[in-house]
Amino acid sequence: MERVNEAATFAARKGFEAGVFSQPSIHKLAYAEIRSRFGLSAQMAVRAIGKAVECFARDKTVCPVFKPHGAITYDERIFSFKGLDRVSLWALPEGRVIVPLVYGEYQKQRFDRIKGQADLVFRKGKFYLYCTVNLPASAPIQPGEFLGVDLGIANIASDSDGNRHSGSEIKSVRHRHRRLRTKLQKKQTRAAKRRLKQLAGSERRFATHVNHCISKQIVAEAKRSGRGIAVEELMGIRERVKAGRKQRAVLHSWAFSQLRLFLAYKAALAGVTLAAVDPRNTSRTCAACGHCAKENRKTQDQFRCCACNHEAHADINAAVNIGRAACKPAALGELCKMSHGSVKSRRL
Ligand SMILES: [Zn+2]
């Protein structure tokens, strides 16, 4: 891992200095030297160059320096599973090594579907092999009804059945970290900086875990009741400028995009139709009588209709509107782009 990362940094520098950023052009410049200098196998050298190229694909203005224990990619030529509990990996100094591995129930069931590449990741003293699996998406059912889901910040997801999946666990972790973070930021030492990074990482992983749980529950409920799932469509840039406070906040949150993505692929795998509806007015329209007015929304949480006095939690009221909007023919025509077929792979 350390040699590959050194080699990737070397390849990046060679390419950067020469102003070339593609696999073949950096290969020409650096391959032979990588082989002799870092003692890598042919395919490992190719992978090291690939790491630099991938980085340049995102940003050509900086020359990356890779961390000694950054993730490295293995492909079929340099790794293979040997039965259920062993993996053969190319490693220094002697070439192939057979490494025993452990995995959970979920991974076991999908073992035969592992495809192509795997990332070797080193975290907290342990090695992890991240594999990609291909799962066939079930044929979507054409639903007559939709479970409306309102995605937000205060409540991560609220559905039209009246369930609110709050972000309270995430918030309490964030809160716990905040004081520690302020303290660390004042310190400016290298150890403090490292600790800050760790905190950010653990927060992110926890939020990902929560997103997995929430999306799983929503998809399971839609599947069980034979309904589709409706979410608000993400708006284009022009509308975004005019968007309300909630929409703006939501659009900038990676956790929000991740939840949408999780919903999309889990729905596709389960054969649940996902529809995206126009987000305008979903939060100010009364789910009982259809009266639409800004004044209906009393506070962030509270909805009370000025026309019929219908009262509900604002997010739930919005979720009902979203579910209903998806049943209209116009909305069905706009079936979400991220829906079926496009999301088949996921990481274990
Ligand atoms: Zn009303």
Side-chain angles (χ1 to χ4, degrees):
M1 183 176 260
E2 288 167 1
R3 281 309 87 69
V4 170
N5 280 308
E6 282 166 20
T9 300
F10 175 80
R13 207 180 62 229
K14 280 276 179 184
F16 192 77
E17 282 168 0
V20 294
F21 306 101
S22 74
Q23 183 90 29
S25 49
I26 297 180
H27 189 103
K28 236 180 266 170
L29 287 175
Y31 177 77
E33 204 171 338
I34 286 177
R35 292 291 307 274
S36 59
R37 201 157 150 177
F38 301 98
L40 299 181
S41 77
Q43 195 55 20
M44 265 305 177
V46 168
R47 282 286 146 207
I49 295 167
K51 184 164 181 173
V53 170
E54 235 175 72
C55 208
F56 285 138
R58 285 190 297 270
D59 188 359
K60 293 181 180 59
T61 62
V62 282
C63 182
V65 175
F66 299 102
K67 288 186 200 126
H69 296 149
I72 61 170
T73 304
Y74 277 86
D75 60 32
E76 299 106 322
R77 284 184 245 181
I78 38 185
F79 101 101
S80 59
F81 286 99
K82 300 283 173 205
L84 283 175
D85 55 355
R86 257 149 239 278
V87 64
S88 160
L89 295 170
W90 195 92
L92 287 166
E94 62 274 312
R96 291 258 179 182
V97 287
I98 305 282
V99 187
L101 69 137
V102 287
Y103 44 85
E105 266 316 301
Y106 179 87
Q107 285 80 359
K108 205 174 188 170
Q109 285 166 24
R110 285 153 183 83
F111 199 80
D112 55 332
R113 298 194 176 275
I114 291 172
K115 287 279 172 312
Q117 301 181 351
D119 284 349
L120 185 68
V121 174
F122 187 66
R123 196 158 74 210
K124 290 185 186 165
K126 281 184 190 143
F127 281 105
Y128 296 84
L129 200 57
Y130 286 12
C131 297
T132 303
V133 294
N134 284 339
L135 296 179
S138 317
I141 0 162
Q142 208 45 261
E145 267 185 84
F146 284 83
L147 178 64
V149 180
D150 180 61
L151 303 174
I153 297 289
N155 292 297
I156 297 178
S158 311
D159 66 38
S160 51
D161 287 351
N163 299 311
R164 276 185 287 144
H165 307 270
S166 80
S168 60
E169 305 121 304
I170 293 182
K171 261 188 261 158
S172 82
V173 170
R174 228 165 249 169
H175 197 77
R176 242 186 296 142
H177 285 175
R178 192 170 301 144
R179 276 180 63 190
L180 189 53
R181 195 161 29 224
T182 328
K183 235 166 64 188
L184 289 168
Q185 271 158 353
K186 278 183 197 141
K187 273 195 187 164
Q188 293 290 337
T189 62
R190 210 190 289 175
K193 277 184 193 151
R194 194 164 51 230
R195 186 80 188 97
L196 271 170
K197 257 197 178 160
Q198 284 170 356
L199 279 183
S202 84
E203 249 181 56
R204 210 168 43 235
R205 283 191 294 277
F206 186 71
T208 299
H209 164 73
V210 171
N211 276 345
H212 268 303
C213 296
I214 292 176
S215 50
K216 192 175 163 185
Q217 276 173 29
I218 291 172
V219 170
E221 178 49 29
K223 174 131 182 135
R224 191 197 62 76
S225 55
R227 287 178 290 180
I229 295 173
V231 292
E232 285 174 322
E233 190 174 74
L234 286 179
M235 293 176 295
I237 287 171
R238 197 178 311 168
E239 290 103 302
R240 207 174 296 178
V241 180
K242 288 186 275 178
R245 196 155 45 100
K246 176 196 143 192
Q247 279 281 347
R248 271 203 305 270
V250 141
L251 282 163
H252 291 294
S253 151
W254 71 265
F256 168 82
S257 329
Q258 190 190 46
L259 180 56
R260 266 182 82 93
L261 198 68
F262 285 1
L263 269 177
Y265 91 74
K266 285 188 212 284
L269 288 178
V272 169
T273 299
L274 188 79
V277 306
D278 188 338
R280 275 171 296 177
N281 296 332
T282 50
S283 62
R284 44 175 81 158
T285 302
C286 171
C289 75
H291 177 66
C292 175
K294 207 174 171 183
E295 296 69 38
N296 285 347
R297 180 83 175 259
K298 297 290 173 213
T299 63
Q300 184 63 30
D301 287 349
Q302 199 196 359
F303 184 93
R304 198 171 80 225
C305 178
C306 304
C308 77
N309 279 329
H310 168 70
E311 270 185 76
H313 189 284
D315 293 343
I316 304 285
N317 180 73
V320 174
N321 289 330
I322 292 165
R324 212 168 278 161
C327 296
K328 292 179 192 152
L332 273 176
E334 302 225 349
L335 274 186
C336 193
K337 288 170 213 97
M338 60 186 188
S339 190
H340 302 287
S342 56
V343 192
K344 275 188 202 144
S345 322
R346 65 152 304 195
R347 298 187 122 190
L348 288 180

